[in-house]
Amino acid sequence: MDWEGWDTAPSGYDAANLYLHSLPVPDLAERVRKEFSHILDTSTGRVGELTACTEILPAAPRVPFYADLADAVRGRRETAAKPWRRRPNVCVSSRSARSTWHSIRAL
């Protein structure tokens, strides 16, 4: 299910968005991560998380709340991208996933 992107975001995007926005409250972030681990700990969940990162980080210079999130989100971006960094020739099948991957690499 996709709540935020009106069905245009990758699977896992909503759970990831909730998780990233909960990072300033560590206990809450841990709970969200645990409750949505069945989504977030998958390849598609990581794509959703990386997609949410690509929306938050470019907005950080303009939006104070995102500026406060930026450091934690950068850390999550690095963690979520690790599986693909070990395999640089990963095949990404969908156009939106490829676009997201190129956006992430540019950040």
Side-chain angles (χ1 to χ4, degrees):
M1 176 180 283
D2 172 35
W3 306 307
E4 290 290 324
W6 293 88
D7 201 34
T8 60
S11 179
Y13 171 81
D14 292 313
N17 211 9
L18 178 61
Y19 173 64
L20 293 174
H21 282 82
S22 71
L23 289 174
V25 183
D27 291 341
L28 177 60
E30 183 179 333
R31 173 78 189 272
V32 170
R33 187 81 197 179
K34 180 181 176 185
E35 293 296 325
F36 290 100
S37 65
H38 65 285
I39 298 169
L40 297 172
D41 294 341
T42 66
S43 293
T44 56
R46 283 190 294 278
V47 169
E49 189 169 353
L50 292 168
T51 301
C53 290
T54 64
E55 293 177 355
I56 292 169
L57 293 175
R62 299 182 315 276
V63 181
F65 177 74
Y66 286 162
D68 293 342
L69 285 177
D71 287 339
V73 170
R74 279 188 199 96
R76 285 303 313 156
R77 177 192 63 192
E78 296 305 314
T79 300
K82 277 183 185 176
W84 291 298
R85 289 206 171 120
R86 281 184 269 135
R87 298 179 302 155
N89 294 326
V90 67
C91 176
V92 181
S93 60
S94 77
R95 186 177 339 161
S96 78
R98 281 193 304 272
S99 174
T100 298
W101 176 246
H102 291 296
S103 297
I104 292 161
R105 291 181 67 194
L107 290 176

